[in-house]
Amino acid sequence: MEYIEEIQEQVILVGVQLDENDNVKESLDELEELADTAGAQTVGKIIQNRETVHPGTYIGKGKIEEVRALMLATDATGIICDDELSPAQMNNLEHELECKVMDRTLLILDIFAKHATTSEGKIQVELAQLRYRASRLVGLGASLSRLGGGIGTRGPGEKKLESDRRLIRKRITALKEELSQVEKHRELLRTGRTRGKMKTAAIVGYTNAGKSTLLNTLTGAGVLSEDKLFATLDPTTRALTLDDGQQILLTDTVGFIRKLPHNLVEAFKSTLEEARYADYIIHVVDCSNPQAVQQMEVVYDTLQELGVQGKKTITLFNKVDMGAAIRMRDSNADHTLKVSAKTGEGLEDLKALLGKILSEEQIYVEKLFTYQEAGKIQLIREYGQLLSEEYTDTGILVKARVPQEIHGKLM
């Protein structure tokens, strides 16, 4: 069998700076990371300064000539724009430059399609892709057919649906039904956890901040952990047993990113909502990243969009092993710690803090249980913290801390 090696695409990144406060250079650096994750090599970057985005071509006629010249000089095969393009903008740019044109949204969707492994992840990605296509059917048929292979064309969303609104609507309806079944299953799992009275903490953060590494180091979860954006999409929940015997459930969530496509937020809502249903938030920040402060803002904005507010939050300034000078603050957090999820530095402090938080929310019990009531002590072992038990002639003297929900069952 003859194998054909896939040729790496060479792309130019294009952004528009509307005012001096826009961090377009940093945004293009992130877009380069996204392109690298998708399998493309960035060979050039262009920033256009404008008062408003050009409605027809995104960057305007003059800048198109500069892009064309850079493409010829670098042998680029396509361009990626840092914002979501309208169908007209994408068509006009393709017509003028005669090359593949993608936007940030299409690139992120492609990465999600590449990394989705579970049935839920694949359904969510396809749903987001189809919604993206559906909103661009007018005048986009030609550009879709010209995309060819490579990045921007991965995943189940490219199933020969062409430009037929009816087929896309039908497929979206079917996917939403499949997703609702998966969400019901997820809701059952959540209900089971709630019934078990075990507290949960959602690990959130900007993509590539080290969330999966943290979960792996703490619990040995074995989640894929790479120095790539969106290395993991599917949430993983593991129990962490603290030094004092208390347990807490930790759930890894999909990473956030600036300009996260609305269709992805919608499609991945059930996954992202793990944060809404959690008792606590563990916010992981890559403090070695120069854009750490801006990334923190993106995380809190996304949490607010998801309705996640008023929860006790622990912010971990991660990657201290990379020698970053840390003088960071997080006024939104109840507690902050400096850690390295990779080396384990500071994680004992995190476990001690989690134990303290859990203990603060429990009620101290000192009670003599008759031997006929001995079964109640099992409730303490399962849901609380058994500090001591002493067997006497009349019963078992117990000192313990228990959740408020269990306290009534013991009295």
Side-chain angles (χ1 to χ4, degrees), residues 184-196:
K184 284 177 185 174
H185 176 66
R186 186 181 292 283
E187 186 60 37
L188 284 172
L189 290 176
R190 283 197 195 109
T191 304
R193 294 205 293 261
T194 304
R195 217 180 269 129

Side-chain angles (χ1 to χ4, degrees), residues 83 136 153 263 310 352 379 405 410:
D83 297 284
R136 284 159 172 70
T153 61
N263 284 332
L379 278 175
E405 303 87 349
L410 300 176

Side-chain angles (χ1 to χ4, degrees), residues 300-319:
Y300 283 120
D301 287 345
T302 308
L303 287 174
Q304 188 170 4
E305 185 180 345
L306 292 166
V308 181
Q309 292 172 304
K311 294 185 185 295
K312 189 162 285 188
T313 300
I314 301 169
T315 291
L316 304 181
F317 294 120
N318 188 31
K319 304 189 182 181

